[in-house]
């Protein structure tokens, strides 16, 4: 039997092929695999599985350079999510994914369904989701559209995560013109599983039934995968797939049902139906297991009338899972699903012929060698060339003395009010951060820390990345993204274990973009090697472009770390008046690409901060040992806004804000080589942390730092509640009541986002 | 200027999943109501407007739907009534 | 002492309530919403979450679950019932407590630690507190603004049935800062803040632990 | 049995503060719409019912409002239309 065209199918024309996002060469390749023309349904299947989103056509060879091994790795890339060993029999399962294009079109549902998808990647591994994080990029909040997008995205993430009962404990948000036409919405999920209860999504056992569990299938998001693989343009408005609507209530039931199914032993594999729906879930599960599947698409429960096999196969309706049950256990599977008020429907079987076969009742509508479908997708090696314009910007000299006669106190106030730096409370108070009662440190500081119930362990999680640095220097920027994540983990006292990533770039067919991608990945790979944090998986999101151009190349890094004893965790906020403030790491006053520089010049240029990977590693080790020995009262790393902002945050974040007195002369160097005051205060050095210690512990910390070769300078003391924040460097002095700084910092987002136009009733106002 | 009351109805597009409507339909069934074939849940916005005429009020209300009251990507709207208030 | 923690489809604080009850030294069991058997429990907890997704109105659909008949009977017998967050919403929808919980005045979901004052110790869940004592507990809800007509509010105050009030920061615009109330029999208590999330210092507060430590007052019968 | 479509409108009691309506009124003002005196936001529930007659469908819909669709403490409801579907 061979697949045949159905009546009413459009004929195979070059136009049809093009609309499926396939090239003439790719069509030839398909003919080579099939030995004939593809049917319309088969064309749809190839289009989805060979889209950039599913096939990684442009990125695979580059991704191969990532380090993926380590003694802690239980599962590297290739499964639904990566898995690392935590100890005490527990493993952490985590993954990050983008939902940029759907969120640009419909921010609320786009973001919500992004959360739903990443949750499913985690619980299909048998893990219970315990935390969500979100990394977001928008255009400037001075404009209405970015405000509208941000409100919708945050509400969508909140409504979904809150409803399923998984706390959203971290993330980051940054704003820049580069993201105005194409926001970034990246969601990360973290789960916990007993090592011996891991399950992998590999179909096995010819004769075993294949079942769909969860929601009915509608015409949602058909061609979503290929949509995600094209630039946003005026035309994409019309090509845009039907918006997918999330149903977190059903997802919650799916979580419980799936975990129970996995624990029951009645199933051999489970996979979520994400991008390209039934097609990709079935094909991938079969290819991983080296088997075939024989499905009847007409058996799939549908929500709309007169759906075609093409639509059923490519629908991206949410909250659905594909399950391979053990033969003869269909009843048991159905029964478990029924207790969770879900339906399970058998739609086919695993076969031993390796063929991906789809029927529609009696007709065979697709018949493709399964392995070829997944593994013979084309791979491209695009040209790579640095943009000379960006190279020039990078090499452009900074203003002498780091800017003309600035009022440094006013600059600090303005930095704290910048949406990128200001408190993200407006965002994270819309998220349930304490459900599941394991959040030991929520958002607001650096990484969040969760306890692992029944063990002494703490799990630290963070996500983020600076697109500016990568734009100016992709290699250094890639390193910086990983190094910053590692610092965020280490300041809590946790040891970094590994990363997931979400690589957001423009159109890889443009040499300038592919250069950024390749170099950023090289930076990430080098940093991961140096820091001992393998890459366990991730996601590539290309074609993040709008008519105004590409977004900043933004590799987002999601990192997890472990604390052997959660009671030793360290917070970012100063704790006690009189504690000694210590600066760890070498200060170089790097203002290239900094927030301060663009504040005073209105431009983004210069060499972004360089990362000395050996020093980064030493700083991590020093922080971890300092926490382990109980020496640190607080620890916070320097990032956007530099030392001055980091110190201000340490003071402001205390439940009752604490003043401080800091003289940065010691880290500025001696004249005539002393760094300019602005550079010391606002340079965004990638390798510095500010810690506070009880006076009695200062000497021991100095010894620890010495052993790790980390430069250490005592720079001041913690002041009293409601006191003044005082900074001195060279002859310059800045003094502000810490309460006033905090008002500005806390108001940055609310004053731009609350009330007024740009609200959306569709998102419940 | 006179006062009018305009009533706008905003409903999710028929082809989109409406989880809320589904849940209500399910609940009505469990409550013993027979014959509930489908439920969709949308919004009503009641506007009290100052306008020169009913026609002007109607036009105003429609413009508001286009700008704010309905999401053009996921919803349809209808103006159900414009009456003197 | 035995707690029954009711699970509706969409409950998501069930495990937290269960753990809080056990931490207080009680036994705990889950009861699925389709069950009508409370398994001999002394105390019933309706936990937080989003029963039926909170579609239509929070708690509106869950209140028709079969288990609610058993809960109502338990309450009518004067035995303790605690509704936390979504559980409070269900109790109001079911008419076991007066008033209603509507959309937060700020129109957004809000999750943060708030200060809650205990207004009365004359309920099985507050017997271990002093009136006037201020507790730190998280709130996490989108529909937590307590509303009722003036006569009902006056009556609640007169009969000492306002159990908890927000002290200072009213996160949802609740009328008269009401965070929790009790019924005429004083055995049914509903509150929006989450005492089960404040039972250990490691979680930021252990002020809520005593809500579950009801030992002697217990069965109330 | 025939099919009917019944449309139910559920509005917050006038005595109750409607922050959502206020926010919409404010936003409409910012968008430059003049003469918006007041806004109230409620719900529309569209029921597709199988019934013997329009009268039976109407009765069914009203009973559903009384039991589930509206909360008598905070909301009023009205049956706006019952039409053959
Ligand atoms: N989108 C978000 N969701 C949740 N938490 C966030 C989000 N954005 C920022 N936060 C939290 O706010 C705090 C400060 O964020 P950020 O300034 O990005 O920290 P850092 O510079 O240490 O990475 C962190 O605890 C972070 O997790
Ligand atoms: Mg940090």
């Amino acid at each position: 039997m061979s697949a045949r065209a159905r009546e009413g199918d459009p004929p195979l024309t070059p136009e049809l092929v093009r609309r499926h996002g396939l090239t003439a060469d790719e069509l030839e390749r398909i003919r080579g695999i099939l030995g004939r023309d593809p049917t319309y349904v088969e064309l749809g299947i190839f289009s989805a599985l060979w889209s950039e989103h599913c096939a990684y056509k442009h990125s695979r060879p580059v991704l191969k350079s990532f380090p993926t091994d380590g003694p802690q790795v239980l599962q590297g890339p290739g499964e639904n999510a990566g898995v690392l060993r935590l100890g005490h029999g527990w493993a952490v399962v985590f993954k990050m994914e983008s939902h940029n294009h759907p969120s640009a079109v419909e921010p609320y549902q786009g973001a919500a369904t992004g959360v739903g998808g990443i949750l499913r990647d985690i619980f299909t591994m048998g893990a219970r989701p315990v935390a969500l994080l979100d990394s977001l990029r928008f255009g400037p909040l001075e404009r209405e559209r970015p405000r509208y997008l941000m409100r919708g995205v945050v509400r969508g993430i909140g409504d979904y995560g809150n409803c399923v009962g998984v706390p959203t404990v971290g993330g980051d948000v940054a704003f820049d013109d580069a993201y105005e036409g194409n926001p970034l919405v990246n969601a990360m999920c973290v789960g916990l599983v007993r090592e011996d209860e891991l399950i992998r999504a590999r179909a096995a056992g010819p004769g075993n039934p294949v079942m769909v569990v969860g929601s009915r299938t509608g015409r949602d998001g058909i061609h979503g995968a290929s949509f995600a693989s094209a630039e946003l343009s005026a035309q994409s408005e019309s090509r845009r797939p039907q918006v997918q609507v999330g149903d977190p209530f059903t997802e919650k039931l799916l979580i419980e049902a799936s975990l129970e199914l996995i624990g029951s032993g009645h199933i051999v594999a489970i996979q979520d139906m994400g991008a390209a729906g039934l097609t990709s879930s079935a094909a991938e599960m079969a290819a991983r297991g080296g088997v075939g599947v024989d499905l009847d698409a007409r058996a799939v429960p549908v929500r709309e009338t007169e759906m075609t096999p093409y639509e059923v196969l490519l629908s991206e309706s949410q909250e659905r899972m594909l399950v391979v049950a053990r033969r003869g256990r269909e009843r048991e599977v159905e029964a478990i699903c029924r207790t969770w008020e879900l339906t399970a429907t058998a739609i086919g079987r695993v076969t031993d012929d390796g063929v991906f076969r789809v029927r529609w009742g009696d007709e065979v509508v697709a018949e493709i060698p399964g392995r070829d479908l997944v593994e013979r997708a084309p791979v491209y090696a695009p040209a790579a060339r640095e943009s000379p314009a960006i190279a020039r910007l990078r090499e452009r000299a900074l203003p002498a003395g780091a800017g003309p006669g600035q009022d440094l106190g006013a600059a600090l106030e303005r930095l704290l009010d910048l949406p990128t730096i200001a408190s993200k409370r407006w965002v994270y108070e819309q998220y349930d951060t304490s459900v599941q009662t394991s959040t030991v440190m929520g958002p607001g500081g650096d990484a969040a820390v969760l306890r692992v119930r029944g063990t002494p362990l703490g799990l630290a999680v963070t996500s983020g990345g600076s697109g500016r640095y990568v734009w100016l220097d992709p290699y250094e920027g890639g390193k910086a993204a990983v190094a910053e994540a590692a610092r965020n983990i280490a300041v809590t006292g946790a040891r970094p274990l590994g990363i997931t990533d979400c690589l957001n770039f423009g159109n890889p067919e443009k040499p300038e973009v592919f250069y950024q991608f390749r170099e950023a990945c090289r930076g990430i790979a080098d940093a991961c090697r140096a820091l001992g944090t393998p890459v366990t998986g991730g996601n590539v999101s290309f074609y993040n472009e709008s008519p105004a151009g590409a977004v900043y190349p933004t590799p987002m890094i999601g990192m997890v770390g472990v604390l052997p004893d959660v009671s030793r965790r360290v917070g970012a906020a100063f704790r006690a008046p009189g504690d000694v403030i210590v600066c760890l790491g070498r200060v170089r006053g790097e203002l290239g690409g900094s927030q301060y520089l663009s504040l005073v010049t209105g431009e983004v240029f210069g060499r972004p901060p360089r990362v000395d990977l050996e020093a980064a590693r030493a700083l991590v080790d020093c922080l971890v040992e300092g926490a382990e020995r109980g020496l640190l009262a607080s620890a916070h790393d320097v990032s956007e806004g530099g030392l001055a902002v980091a110190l201000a945050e340490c003071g402001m974040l205390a439940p009752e804000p604490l003043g401080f007195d800091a003289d940065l002369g010691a880290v500025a160097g001696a004249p005539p080589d002393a760094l300019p005051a602005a550079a010391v205060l606002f340079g965004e050095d990638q390798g510095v942390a500010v810690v506070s210690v009880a006076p009695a512990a200062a000497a021991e910390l100095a010894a620890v730092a010495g052993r790790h070769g980390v430069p250490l300078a005592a720079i001041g003391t913690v002041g009293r509640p409601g006191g003044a924040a005082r900074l001195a460097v060279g002859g310059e002095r800045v003094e502000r009541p810490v309460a006033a700084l905090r008002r500005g910092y806390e108001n940055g987002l609310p004053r731009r986002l609350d009330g007024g136009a740009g609200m959306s009733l569709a998102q419940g106002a | 200027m006179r006062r009018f009351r305009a009533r706008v109805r905003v409903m999710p597009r028929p082809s989109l999943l409406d989880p809320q409507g589904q849940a209500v339909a399910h609940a009505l069934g469990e409550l013993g109501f027979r014959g509930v074939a489908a439920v969709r849940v949308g919004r009503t916005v009641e506007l009290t407007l100052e306008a020169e005429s009913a026609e002007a009020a109607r036009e105003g209300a429609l413009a508001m739907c286009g700008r704010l009251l309905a999401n053009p990507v996921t919803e349809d709207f209808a103006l159900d009534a414009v009456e003197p208030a | 002492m035995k707690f029954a923690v009711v699970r509706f489809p969409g409950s998501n604080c069930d495990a937290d309530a269960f753990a809080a009850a056990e931490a207080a030294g009680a036994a705990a069991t889950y009861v699925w919403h389709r069950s009508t058997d409370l398994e001999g429990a002394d105390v019933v907890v309706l936990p937080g979450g989003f029963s039926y997704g909170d579609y239509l109105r929070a708690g509106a659909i869950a209140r028709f679950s079969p288990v609610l008949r058993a809960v109502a009977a338990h309450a009518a017998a004067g035995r303790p019932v605690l509704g936390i967050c979504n559980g409070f919403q269900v109790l109001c929808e079911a008419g076991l407590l007066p008033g209603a919980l509507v959309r937060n005045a700020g129109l957004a979901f809000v999750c943060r630690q708030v200060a809650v004052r205990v207004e009365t110790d004359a309920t099985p869940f507050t017997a271990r507190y002093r009136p006037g004592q201020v507790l730190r507990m998280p709130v996490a809800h989108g529909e937590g603004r307590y509303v009722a007509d003036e006569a009902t509010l006056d009556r609640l105050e007169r009969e000492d049935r306002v159990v908890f009030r927000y002290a200072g920061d009213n996160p949802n615009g609740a009328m008269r800062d009401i965070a929790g109330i009790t019924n005429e029999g004083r055995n049914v208590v509903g509150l929006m803040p989450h005492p089960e999330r404040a039972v250990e210092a490691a979680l930021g507060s252990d002020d809520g632990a005593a809500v579950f430590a009801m030992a002697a007052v217990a069965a109330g019968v």
Side-chain angles (χ1 to χ4, degrees), chain A residues 155 159 161-166 246-250 252-253 256 339-341 428-440 451 453 569 759 763-765, chain C residues 7 9-16 19 32-34 49-55 103 106-112 138-140 194 196-198 200-203:
Chain A
R155 187 175 288 271
D159 280 359
N162 298 346
C163 185
V164 296
V166 178
D247 179 4
F249 167 61
T250 297
K252 169 67 174 158
L253 300 175
E256 302 304 332
T339 56
W340 292 105
E341 315 202 347
Y428 62 71
E429 281 195 351
Q430 296 191 49
Y431 301 155
D432 191 333
T433 50
S434 50
V435 64
Q436 293 194 19
T437 53
S438 286
T439 310
V440 165
R451 63 172 169 186
R453 256 180 214 281
R569 68 187 178 274
M759 67 178 295
Q763 298 153 8
Chain C
R7 307 172 93 182
S11 293
N12 65 30
C13 305
D14 43 344
D16 301 340
W32 185 237
H33 77 119
R34 291 205 179 275
F50 287 72
S51 55
Y52 291 98
D54 275 1
Y55 295 138
R103 186 86 174 275
L107 301 177
F109 188 95
V110 56
C111 176
R112 63 170 171 254
V139 289
H194 286 274
E196 84 285 13
R197 299 190 191 182
E200 275 176 76
L203 301 173

Side-chain angles (χ1 to χ4, degrees), chain A residues 321-385:
Chain A
M321 307 288 276
L322 195 67
V323 168
V324 177
R326 290 189 196 285
R327 196 198 305 231
R329 305 278 184 88
E330 291 93 327
R331 291 277 166 285
E332 286 83 349
V333 170
E334 281 163 17
I336 287 174
C337 291
R338 202 170 329 111
T339 56
W340 292 105
E341 315 202 347
L342 295 169
T343 53
T345 313
I347 61 160
R349 301 210 160 263
V350 175
T351 62
D352 58 7
D353 62 4
V355 174
F356 182 77
R357 186 178 295 109
V358 184
R359 302 166 193 275
W360 186 253
D362 300 332
E363 299 168 62
V364 173
V365 293
E367 199 168 41
I368 307 172
R371 204 172 267 278
D372 293 342
L373 180 58
V374 174
E375 286 167 17
R376 281 185 59 197
V379 176
Y380 298 113
R385 184 177 353 98

Side-chain angles (χ1 to χ4, degrees), chain A residues 568 570 624-633 697 700:
Chain A
R568 287 286 156 106
V570 180
V624 170
E625 189 179 337
E628 213 168 79
R629 290 171 176 268
L631 301 176
L632 307 177
E700 192 180 344

